[in-house]
């Protein structure tokens, strides 16, 4: 049995850090907490956790965006399943939660990016979740 809950407090975000660290390996706990707090406050970032036996097994971080390309949409910033819980359908359940959240709030597009090396994730997004590959994301560090 599982449950999904939106995390809204510093304590809950801190509890999620060990799982998020598996995806965002470059972030210290302090950096992570600062970024989540600022993103929640300024960008309406939402961090949802999927719990199994009262422990976080997977996380999805997402936020509303408005762009000329997509109009009003939801951007999935983070999606990670704890290494001990992979291949159990938790990523699918969390993305479906995001889809339902988006629909309830009037957003009809959900988009995300995924690192070029993450071929298993790409198969999951395209084949299992029926996402279309529509662009490349480019980055320049200044």
């Amino acid at each position: 049995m599982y449950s999904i809950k939106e995390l809204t407090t510093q304590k809950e975000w801190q509890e999620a850090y060990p799982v998020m660290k598996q995806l965002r390996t470059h972030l210290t706990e302090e950096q992570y907490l600062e970024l989540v707090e600022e993103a929640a406050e300024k960008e309406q970032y939402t961090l949802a956790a999927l719990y199994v036996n009262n422990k976080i097994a997977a996380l999805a971080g997402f936020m509303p965006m408005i762009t000329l390309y997509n109009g009003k949409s939801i951007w999935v910033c983070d999606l990670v399943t704890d290494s001990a819980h992979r291949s159990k359908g938790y990523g699918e359940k969390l993305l479906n939660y995001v889809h339902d959240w988006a629909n309830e709030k009037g957003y009809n597009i959900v988009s995300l990016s995924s690192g070029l090396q993450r071929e298993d994730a790409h198969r999951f997004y395209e084949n299992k979740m029926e996402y279309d590959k529509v662009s490349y994301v480019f980055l320049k560090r200044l």
Side-chain angles (χ1 to χ4, degrees), residues 17-66:
Y17 176 72
V19 176
M20 186 62 78
K21 178 73 174 169
Q22 294 176 41
L23 177 65
R24 305 295 179 217
T25 57
H26 64 288
L27 292 176
T28 66
E29 185 172 351
E30 183 180 340
Q31 292 168 324
Y32 156 80
L33 290 171
E34 287 174 4
L35 288 169
V36 170
E37 183 173 16
E38 185 173 1
E41 180 184 309
K42 294 181 179 174
E43 305 292 339
Q44 297 177 285
Y45 177 84
T46 299
L47 185 59
L50 183 144
Y51 287 84
V52 175
N53 298 323
N54 296 316
K55 294 192 177 193
I56 295 175
L59 296 166
F62 57 96
M63 61 187 186
M65 292 186 72
I66 299 173

Side-chain angles (χ1 to χ4, degrees), residues 95-134:
L95 264 186
N96 283 328
Y97 175 86
V98 173
H99 298 163
D100 292 343
W101 189 99
N103 273 324
E104 288 171 13
K105 296 190 174 17
Y107 297 93
N108 60 8
I109 293 176
V110 175
S111 58
L112 55 85
S113 68
S114 180
L116 294 173
Q117 76 284 4
R118 300 189 66 223
E119 294 177 3
D120 289 342
H122 303 166
R123 279 191 292 280
F124 167 73
Y125 295 131
E126 291 180 285
N127 300 336
K128 184 94 172 174
M129 300 307 298
E130 299 179 344
Y131 276 63
D132 296 320
K133 190 186 306 180
V134 295

Side-chain angles (χ1 to χ4, degrees), residues 2 41 57 87 92 121:
Y2 74 92
E41 180 184 309
S87 299
E92 179 180 6

